[in-house]
Amino acid sequence: MSPDAMVMHFVGASALILVAAHAAGWLARKLKQPYIVGQLTAGIALGPSLLGSVAPDAHRSLFPEDISPALTGFAQFALVVFLFAVGYELDLKVLGARARTAVTVALAAFVVPMAVGSGCALLFREQLYDLGMPRDLSPAMVVFAGVALSITAVPVLTAIVRENGLAPTVPGVVAVSAAGLLDVIGWTVLAGTMLDGDGGGHALGWPWRALIGVGFTALMLVAARPLLRRLLWGTRTRMEPSLRLALLIGFALGSAWVTHSVGLHVIFGALLAGVVVPREKGGTLDPDLLRPLHDVSSLLLPFFFVVSGQSVALNSMDATGWVALLVVTVLAVTTKTGSGTVAARLGGLDRDDARTVGVLLSARGLTELIALNAGLQAGLLSKPLYTVLVFMALTTTLLTQPLLLLTRRMSDRRPHPAPTNPAPDGTTTTPVADMG
């Protein structure tokens, strides 16, 4: 294929990707599902699982190997912009007065699925071998199995909370706060597993790579943050929003390149860049920066879904794969909802609010897919196991809304106790649990 033909082929494929993904997102929203679920489904459908099975010639014609580097480049760019925005928005101060409850919920919702996932990887080595994994799993593979069950997708969870009117409620605040803390824990543990992966073929051993990663993180926090504050938000040097956006995206891409060079994947550099970017005075987010970041990432993320979907081959799954999908999905839902519910209950929430928190934390979506994609590239997952975990992520995200509705119905049917505390004016009030 000539360069001109390849470029025009890429343009045509891009048109299909954008229209199909955003149409599927619109349909998902009509079906009371997060927009991103539709985009993820479209990405998988354009891969070998559906299009490649129904019309293999069309699939090869639409997505030939020649345009794979261009698609991957767009996908990585979209991923960097998205995670840069996630890092910029991350603010653990949102824990506020409910910090103790949110921390308890976050730790439980991470540790329990992590232990179950890692334990299952050790117990079911033969079954994992049938899914293309080595008989002797490396420590990083075992840890990654736990991470795959412990992730919560903050963007999807936030969208579900907002669309269900839960943002100002106690379970909504606790769930979002705990998910933010889960993000920090999850990405940190995932970074450790990436150091031991073999996908990058790095000459340096993991201790040197870890040391370089820690040094780069310290340099970003100590030097980059004050420099950015003076350069971009200083009174004398305050830039136009468009120029500031371009420079910060370039900063994120550069940070992603550095972390990729030391074997930590681009996702960590993009997140770190977002975290170190200073906010405006008073700790508020800059809308002139955040709005275009969301627009760009939302527009281009379908490329990431399509690239990820090319590695998903549902038609190649055998009986072991289907059983693994069922078992992993059940474990993913029960460990998250169970640990989140129990921890929220111990933190002072009533039964119904605690169940709501547990259900919300089960949403995985895009964050899970990003982690799985990184694990596949690092050699921590085989393609059959990657397929199983991608469909687990999709299934658990799809189940979040129905389970949330079921929780609400259970709450409506359960008789609520009458208020018992007499007020000074003779009325009665219901006691409120201490959420501190």
Side-chain angles (χ1 to χ4, degrees), residues 51-70:
L51 183 60
S53 299
V54 176
D57 292 337
H59 179 263
R60 285 192 296 269
S61 177
L62 285 169
F63 303 107
E65 288 294 326
D66 291 345
I67 69 169
S68 293

Side-chain angles (χ1 to χ4, degrees), residues 155-169:
V156 175
L157 182 149
T158 304
I160 293 174
V161 166
R162 185 173 58 249
E163 291 170 8
N164 285 273
L166 295 172
T169 66

Side-chain angles (χ1 to χ4, degrees), residues 74-94:
F74 262 69
Q76 293 297 305
F77 179 83
L79 194 59
V80 168
V81 174
F82 171 79
L83 289 171
F84 175 63
V86 170
Y88 180 58
E89 289 182 282
L90 184 63
D91 184 10
L92 295 183
K93 293 178 182 177
V94 74

Side-chain angles (χ1 to χ4, degrees), residues 210-227:
L211 184 62
I212 294 172
V214 171
F216 178 66
T217 301
L219 180 66
M220 291 281 279
L221 293 172
V222 174
R225 182 188 288 269
L227 181 62

